[in-house]
Amino acid sequence: MKTNTVQEEPKLILTYPHKTILNWIAFVTIISFSLIVTWILKNLIHEGTDESGRMIIVIALVCIPLLLCFMVCYFYLNAVKLEVDKNNSLKYYTYGSRGHSVLHFRFALEDIQEIKESKLPLGCSKVTMKIKNPIFCGFNEKKIGKQMNVSVIAEREKVDFFIQEILNRHSDRL
């Protein structure tokens, strides 16, 4: 016996656009910074003086953790995803430590009380929503009894379409 575990495709996905110019600039900066640090370390090791030994320790204690911090921020910056299903149910995901998305909250379009859009450079927008009574989807589903703020950075065209759909739903209810 087979069970049908295939989920329907979401109608709209709002997620951070990973192919923007900003990401390419950050990627090139991280690569060039790491190449510069390794070149400096290579030259200091080759020199072999007491002063170069101190500089190696300083670079190891300052620059390498800073580089690792940049890499973590690059890979996990704004790592959230908002999916709108065909039945107008919204699912809010965040990315786990291994890059797999984890469902955190679920709510309906009617639960959105307030929505704000902020224009960002490079064709992106930030959507911030106030949600009443979201459902936490952890080990077991639990309705949260308080209002919660959720924000997503996505491409401007998708954000505008999402906001228009929400405004159309609210005007239909009134």
Side-chain angles (χ1 to χ4, degrees):
M1 272 174 64
K2 287 186 178 181
T3 58
N4 189 5
T5 59
V6 178
Q7 295 179 350
E8 291 183 25
E9 278 292 316
K11 184 167 48 173
L12 178 67
I13 297 175
L14 294 178
T15 186
Y16 188 73
H18 298 285
K19 295 181 181 180
T20 62
I21 296 170
L22 183 64
N23 276 344
W24 282 105
I25 292 170
F27 181 71
V28 169
T29 304
I30 290 171
I31 296 297
S32 62
F33 184 67
S34 63
L35 290 174
I36 290 169
V37 167
T38 55
W39 180 75
I40 291 172
L41 283 174
K42 181 182 169 186
N43 287 335
L44 287 174
I45 289 171
H46 181 58
E47 191 173 312
T49 63
D50 288 341
E51 188 66 31
S52 66
R54 289 188 200 115
M55 290 302 292
I56 290 171
I57 292 172
V58 168
I59 288 174
L61 292 177
V62 175
C63 292
I64 293 175
L66 188 64
L67 179 65
L68 291 175
C69 208
F70 283 154
M71 289 172 61
V72 167
C73 288
Y74 173 74
F75 288 123
Y76 293 105
L77 179 70
N78 302 312
V80 297
K81 177 172 65 169
L82 187 71
E83 288 184 356
V84 181
D85 290 342
K86 304 255 190 255
N87 58 0
N88 293 324
S89 171
L90 287 95
K91 295 177 181 175
Y92 182 77
Y93 293 90
T94 60
Y95 292 105
S97 62
R98 296 187 179 205
H100 302 291
S101 57
V102 178
L103 177 63
H104 277 285
F105 300 104
R106 180 171 58 83
F107 51 94
L109 277 176
E110 295 81 29
D111 292 338
I112 298 174
Q113 290 182 332
E114 183 181 327
I115 188 164
K116 293 180 190 175
E117 177 185 9
S118 305
K119 304 272 189 213
L120 298 177
L122 304 172
C124 297
S125 290
K126 180 178 181 180
V127 177
T128 305
M129 298 176 279
K130 287 186 180 179
I131 302 161
K132 64 177 181 180
N133 300 326
I135 297 171
F136 175 72
C137 301
F139 291 115
N140 52 357
E141 292 188 358
K142 178 181 169 184
K143 195 166 200 173
I144 299 175
K146 63 179 183 174
Q147 184 176 347
M148 186 175 171
N149 290 334
V150 170
S151 63
V152 177
I153 296 177
E155 295 174 10
R156 195 168 291 154
E157 296 84 25
K158 288 185 178 183
V159 169
D160 291 339
F161 177 74
F162 175 71
I163 290 175
Q164 285 299 324
E165 184 161 323
I166 289 177
L167 291 176
N168 289 340
R169 291 282 177 195
H170 282 286
S171 66
D172 290 343
R173 283 192 332 192
L174 298 175

